[in-house]
């Protein structure tokens, strides 16, 4: 078993560059080249001059429609020191509860069945099933995070989900009624092995729910800051439909959900189930085709727009420096790292980045070792301007910060283009 686990995590420098990590085809084209960037989630314990950088280049497979970047980092390196807790955002907590309530109300699962969640994080979602007496199992490779879930009574396996692990689970427990794999497929280098694992655990009545931001969102909402090395894949409905078929699964329905600035919720079942394919599958695939998501020309224009946004952002920072304004960042998320590393940031243009996570505070973000501070230290710093990096929850953050900061402070977001964040 250890061998399988390791092989599914091994890097292959050609994967995502010379061949597709979904269908193994060789028909990849260049969509957006962001240059060499440091690893987005690797915060430094001390500010360092030299930071290891790796190419960050989005390519799209013409055969299956999957967006992807090349392998440069192992999942073990990402999740060995993982600092992201889902429960820290009320938006994510509400979204999880709404999903679980909907599943229970629609009798999709009851207390004699069980629910599997892959990437169950700190138990933010599964705890809602437990409250309704429905048995659950979480899979969460980040040991520090899975400990929190166990503290809530959620049985959690601290491993990566692989085909091999799926076979073990099937032998011990049979088919789950529901499998939830939200915002995890992007983090899997060996996507085919992961999908094969889902197929092993998908019985005739099992429903698999996968939520993930979309390639179309990156394109239409300028979400290029969601591209980073730890996000190996960028899903489209076209790719999910295609890759499911390869492993004996079927995409049955696609819904749009508002989380993460717009995601698709894919409902997947067994090829052998009686469920009919909903018209939403074809209409979503058609919309991607109509928008020319899989045409290189579309992405040439997109790359030009991204450059323009980065130039405007950089000019704004320079202008703020000249005027002596005190610019701070908020939210030391991976998005922040992609954005500030894609421009030529100068010292003190961003004085520090505040973050609610105590795990992140006192660490430093590349490239210039920007210090991560607590929200109360942000207040003490007397900022004039705050850049909110997690634009997907920018209004939630804005309302929280308004309570503790002077009324003169201005709030900004650089995505989809630089704008002031105000009351809606
Ligand atoms: Zn492909």
């Amino acid at each position: 078993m250890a061998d399988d686990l390791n092989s599914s995590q091994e890097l292959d420098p050609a994967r995502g560059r010379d061949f597709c990590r979904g269908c193994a085809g060789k028909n990849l084209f260049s969509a957006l080249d962001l240059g060499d960037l440091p690893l987005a989630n690797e915060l430094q314990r001390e500010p360092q001059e030299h930071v290891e950088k790796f190419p960050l280049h989005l390519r799209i497979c013409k055969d299956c429609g999957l967006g992807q970047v090349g392998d440069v980092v192992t999942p073990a390196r990402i999740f060995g020191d993982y600092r992201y807790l889902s429960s820290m955002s009320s938006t994510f907590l509400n979204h999880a509860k709404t999903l679980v309530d909907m599943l229970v109300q629609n009798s999709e699962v009851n207390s004699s069945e069980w629910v599997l969640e892959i990437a169950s994080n700190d138990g933010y979602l599964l705890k809602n099933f437990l409250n309704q007496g429905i048995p659950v199992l979480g899979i969460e490779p980040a040991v520090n995070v899975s400990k929190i879930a166990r503290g809530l009574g959620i049985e959690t396996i601290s491993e990566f989900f692989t085909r091999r692990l799926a076979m073990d689970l099937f032998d011990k427990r049979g088919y789950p009624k529901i499998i939830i794999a939200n915002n995890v497929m992007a983090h899997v280098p060996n996507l085919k092995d992961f999908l094969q694992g889902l197929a092993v655990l998908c019985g005739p009545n099992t429903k698999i729910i996968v939520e993930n931001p979309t390639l179309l969102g990156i394109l239409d909402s300028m979400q290029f800051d969601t591209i980073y090395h730890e996000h190996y894949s960028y899903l489209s409905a076209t790719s999910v439909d295609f890759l499911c078929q390869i492993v004996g699964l079927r995409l049955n329905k696609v819904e749009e959900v508002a989380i993460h600035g717009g995601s698709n919720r894919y409902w997947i079942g067994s090829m052998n189930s009686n469920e009919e394919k909903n018209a939403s599958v074809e209409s979503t695939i058609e919309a991607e085709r109509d928008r020319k998501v899989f045409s290189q020309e579309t992405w040439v224009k997109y790359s030009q727009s991204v450059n323009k946004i980065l130039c405007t952002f950089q000019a704004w920072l320079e202008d703020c420096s000249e005027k002596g304004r005190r610019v701070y960042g908020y939210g030391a998320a991976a998005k922040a790292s992609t954005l500030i590393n894609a421009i030529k940031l100068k010292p003190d243009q961003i004085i520090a980045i505040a973050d609610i996570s105590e795990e992140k505070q006192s660490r430093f973000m590349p490239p210039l070792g920007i210090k991560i501070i607590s929200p109360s230290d942000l207040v003490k710093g007397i900022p004039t301007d705050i850049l909110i990096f997690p634009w997907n929850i920018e209004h939630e953050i804005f309302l929280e910060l308004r309570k503790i900061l002077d009324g003169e402070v201005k709030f900004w977001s650089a995505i989809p283009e630089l704008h002031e964040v105000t009351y809606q």
Side-chain angles (χ1 to χ4, degrees):
M1 174 169 170
D3 283 350
D4 268 31
L5 193 64
N6 290 336
S7 67
S8 74
Q9 281 195 53
E10 264 171 25
L11 296 188
D12 182 339
R15 187 165 50 198
R17 188 189 66 193
D18 302 331
F19 73 92
C20 172
R21 73 175 67 256
C23 74
K26 293 190 171 165
N27 236 337
L28 301 178
F29 69 83
S30 166
L32 178 68
D33 186 355
L34 287 163
D36 289 350
L37 272 71
L39 297 179
N41 280 312
E42 216 159 79
L43 300 171
Q44 303 160 346
R45 289 172 196 275
E46 301 289 334
Q48 287 161 13
E49 288 270 314
H50 177 74
V51 185
E52 210 177 351
K53 292 182 181 177
F54 305 92
L56 186 60
H57 194 155
L58 177 70
R59 292 180 175 89
I60 296 174
C61 175
K62 271 196 171 268
D63 296 339
C64 74
L66 184 73
Q68 53 210 287
V69 300
D71 282 19
V72 296
V73 55
T74 59
R77 182 162 166 181
I78 302 169
F79 291 101
D81 186 32
Y82 198 56
R83 331 221 122 242
Y84 181 82
L85 297 182
S86 298
S87 287
M88 282 187 305
S89 161
S90 58
T91 306
F92 299 153
L93 284 173
N94 291 338
H95 179 75
K97 185 165 187 319
T98 307
L99 172 61
V100 173
D101 287 348
M102 182 268 286
L103 290 169
V104 174
Q105 273 161 23
N106 292 350
S107 307
E108 296 284 7
V109 61
N110 62 49
S111 57
S112 66
E113 298 160 328
W114 66 286
V115 175
L116 173 71
E117 190 189 9
I118 303 168
S120 48
N121 201 274
D122 56 8
Y124 75 106
L125 187 142
L126 287 181
K127 68 179 182 185
N128 296 295
F129 283 111
L130 268 196
N131 291 343
Q132 313 234 24
I134 295 166
V136 299
L137 176 69
I139 301 190
E140 174 50 61
V143 175
N144 54 337
V145 177
S146 52
K147 257 186 210 159
I148 301 172
R150 281 191 207 103
L152 299 174
I154 296 165
E155 187 180 349
T156 305
I157 297 176
S158 295
E159 280 184 37
F160 289 96
F161 181 75
T162 58
R163 187 179 58 88
R164 181 69 242 177
L165 177 59
M167 287 163 73
D168 281 356
L169 289 178
F170 178 72
D171 286 347
K172 287 181 189 138
R173 298 168 184 255
Y175 295 124
K177 183 68 201 305
I178 301 276
I179 302 175
I180 297 174
N182 289 350
N183 301 303
V184 56
M185 294 241 276
H187 292 281
V188 180
N190 193 343
L191 190 55
K192 195 171 174 191
D193 179 81
F194 185 94
L195 290 165
Q196 285 170 333
L198 289 181
V200 166
L201 286 168
C202 187
N205 299 316
T206 302
K207 288 192 176 175
I208 303 172
I209 296 167
V210 169
E211 285 179 13
N212 217 78
T214 67
L215 203 46
L216 195 58
I218 291 179
L219 185 62
D220 280 346
S221 306
M222 300 311 293
Q223 298 167 355
F224 63 91
D225 61 341
T226 61
I227 301 169
Y228 42 91
H229 303 102
E230 297 95 321
H231 270 173
Y232 305 92
S233 294
Y234 303 82
L235 304 185
S236 58
T238 304
S239 61
V240 174
D241 187 53
F242 189 99
L243 297 172
C244 279
Q245 288 177 46
I246 291 181
V247 297
L249 294 172
R250 192 174 60 198
L251 175 59
N252 288 322
K253 190 164 76 172
V254 185
E255 291 174 312
E256 285 179 31
V257 287
I259 200 84
H260 290 291
S263 286
N264 277 348
R265 177 182 291 157
Y266 302 102
W267 294 77
I268 296 164
S270 164
M271 209 74 125
N272 304 320
S273 82
N274 296 324
E275 199 176 338
E276 286 189 15
K277 204 162 183 160
N278 185 282
S280 55
V281 175
E282 200 42 48
S283 63
T284 313
I285 288 173
E286 243 175 60
E288 291 173 352
R289 211 165 32 222
D290 290 349
R291 182 62 183 86
K292 297 190 167 56
V293 178
F294 312 110
S295 153
Q296 187 161 17
E297 258 175 48
T298 306
W299 292 90
V300 170
K301 283 188 205 136
Y302 180 78
S303 299
Q304 290 163 353
S305 304
V306 167
N307 273 333
K308 216 169 130 191
I309 289 166
L310 292 174
C311 288
T312 306
F313 178 49
Q314 192 163 337
W316 177 78
L317 285 169
E318 278 164 19
D319 188 51
C320 286
S321 288
E322 279 168 24
K323 289 179 177 153
R325 296 191 69 86
R326 299 176 54 74
V327 180
Y328 281 72
Y330 192 91
K335 288 185 182 73
S337 181
T338 294
L339 188 65
I340 62 178
N341 282 286
I343 61 166
K344 288 190 174 56
L345 189 72
K346 292 176 190 153
D348 298 325
Q349 282 186 331
I350 297 173
I351 298 168
I353 299 174
D355 198 287
I356 195 171
S357 161
E358 286 177 16
E359 302 256 280
K360 289 182 180 176
Q361 289 163 17
S362 302
R363 297 208 177 203
F364 299 84
M365 183 175 280
L368 301 165
I370 302 174
K371 192 171 184 191
I372 298 166
I373 58 173
S374 66
S376 60
D377 282 344
L378 173 69
V379 177
K380 286 180 205 151
I382 317 176
T384 58
D385 301 84
I386 294 176
L387 261 169
I388 300 176
F389 292 113
W391 44 258
N392 49 323
I393 48 171
E394 70 181 25
H395 201 245
E396 176 185 337
I397 292 171
F398 167 77
L399 292 175
E400 284 301 313
L401 291 181
R402 261 279 159 260
K403 291 180 200 160
I404 57 170
L405 283 162
D406 183 274
E408 296 294 308
V409 178
K410 290 186 177 213
F411 296 84
W412 303 88
S413 170
I415 305 289
E417 57 187 356
L418 188 70
H419 63 276
E420 190 172 345
V421 180
T422 56
Y423 286 101
Q424 283 175 339

